[in-house]
Amino acid sequence: MYRKTVYRKTAKLFVIAAPSGAGKTTLVKALTARRPELRFSISYTTRRKRRNEVHGVDYLFVDVDEFRRLKERGALLESAEVFDNLYGTSRTQVQAHLDAGHPVILEIDWQGAAQVREAMPECVSVFVLPPSVEELEHRLRSRRTDTDAVIERRLKDALSDMSHWDEFDHVIVNDRLEQAVADLESVLAGTGTSSAVSNPEVREAVAQILARPGER
Ligand code: 5GP
């Protein structure tokens, strides 16, 4: 009972966004292992289900008409088009987790993050960056499943996504996983001043990451 009261007081909404190749999924998985009280919202998407994915676990897979209906009746806290598919967060799911006293993590893109910040200004938003553009390219290329054209597009999209880092409360550089998880845990605990976007050291580190090789 007492424990539940404590959760209720600290329940919060966290938004995590990252370009593909930043290693967000690995980071969030490692975090969940250490913080079992966290809850994830299962998004709606019109994207086709991949072979290893399960409806209701990875996503709620819906067609475009169903997605539009959900949006029209206000069921989505945010929604966005990402890589030609529609994605959206269920308002009732998020609210139910928060009401039950659990911190909630939304793994969404920067456009969705902007909408959540608008709708729920008390949320804490985090942008995950790769250690360098070269490393990002390397990570994207080592995914053997993609064609060169897909990789080029993902790289271009990733660079454009990364230009939105400044809109977030925190930036975490996913260089060493252990450190990145620790940084993320600090943000969840409300003590993550070293990753705050307002921190000049963070701004300098981001400038280095985003600089083209010739500018460094
Ligand atoms: P994937 O299709 O590879 O699982 O995800 C592609 C992108 O869609 C990722 O950047 C992911 O963060 C984003 N995404 C997943 N769910 C949502 C959502 O509910 N809303 C928004 N805005 N983006 C999402």
Side-chain angles (χ1 to χ4, degrees):
M1 196 59 202
Y2 171 70
R3 213 176 144 75
K4 203 163 182 181
T5 314
V6 173
Y7 274 171
R8 226 175 253 289
K9 277 195 177 158
T10 54
K12 268 199 192 142
L13 183 62
F14 297 92
V15 177
I16 301 191
S20 60
K24 179 182 65 173
T25 311
T26 319
L27 181 59
V28 169
K29 246 186 214 145
L31 178 74
T32 338
R34 283 156 67 152
R35 294 284 305 270
E37 77 275 23
L38 291 174
R39 292 292 178 272
F40 290 84
S41 152
I42 301 165
S43 298
Y44 289 101
T45 183
T46 60
R47 165 166 78 60
R48 282 177 65 155
K49 190 161 79 70
R50 295 179 186 137
R51 247 192 321 146
N52 54 343
E53 290 179 324
V54 178
H55 178 81
V57 175
D58 299 289
Y59 281 103
L60 294 160
F61 295 93
V62 294
D63 61 23
V64 175
D65 285 344
E66 172 70 10
F67 193 94
R68 289 214 180 104
R69 277 196 292 275
L70 287 163
K71 198 171 165 180
E72 273 161 24
R73 71 172 152 85
L76 304 180
L77 175 60
E78 61 75 33
S79 64
E81 186 175 325
V82 187
F83 303 133
D84 305 326
N85 295 301
L86 299 170
Y87 292 84
T89 300
S90 155
R91 195 185 291 279
T92 48
Q93 256 188 66
V94 170
Q95 203 52 58
H97 289 315
L98 290 175
D99 288 348
H102 290 284
V104 179
I105 293 199
L106 303 181
E107 277 187 78
I108 60 180
D109 85 315
W110 68 268
Q111 306 168 82
Q115 294 166 43
V116 176
R117 269 194 297 269
E118 185 83 23
M120 301 175 86
E122 71 281 12
C123 76
V124 177
S125 62
V126 183
F127 198 74
V128 180
L129 281 178
S132 66
V133 172
E134 288 88 343
E135 176 60 23
L136 175 84
E137 190 165 354
H138 171 73
R139 288 180 190 173
L140 290 178
R141 290 198 190 284
S142 58
R143 286 184 187 173
R144 297 284 147 110
T145 48
D146 295 332
T147 62
D148 277 356
V150 170
I151 291 168
E152 288 309 321
R153 162 116 196 254
R154 281 188 184 270
L155 189 58
K156 201 167 144 261
D157 286 345
L159 292 173
S160 141
D161 287 355
M162 277 154 63
S163 69
H164 294 274
W165 68 274
D166 205 11
E167 299 161 20
F168 288 72
D169 299 314
H170 295 267
V171 169
I172 288 178
V173 179
N174 193 10
D175 190 357
R176 288 186 308 114
L177 183 66
E178 272 305 302
Q179 184 60 52
V181 175
D183 290 347
L184 202 46
E185 278 197 287
S186 305
V187 171
L188 299 191
T191 57
T193 46
S194 61
S195 61
V197 162
S198 53
N199 181 339
E201 283 176 27
V202 171
R203 305 188 75 84
E204 176 54 32
V206 175
Q208 286 292 321
I209 290 169
L210 298 185
R212 292 173 197 287
E215 296 168 0
R216 274 181 213 137

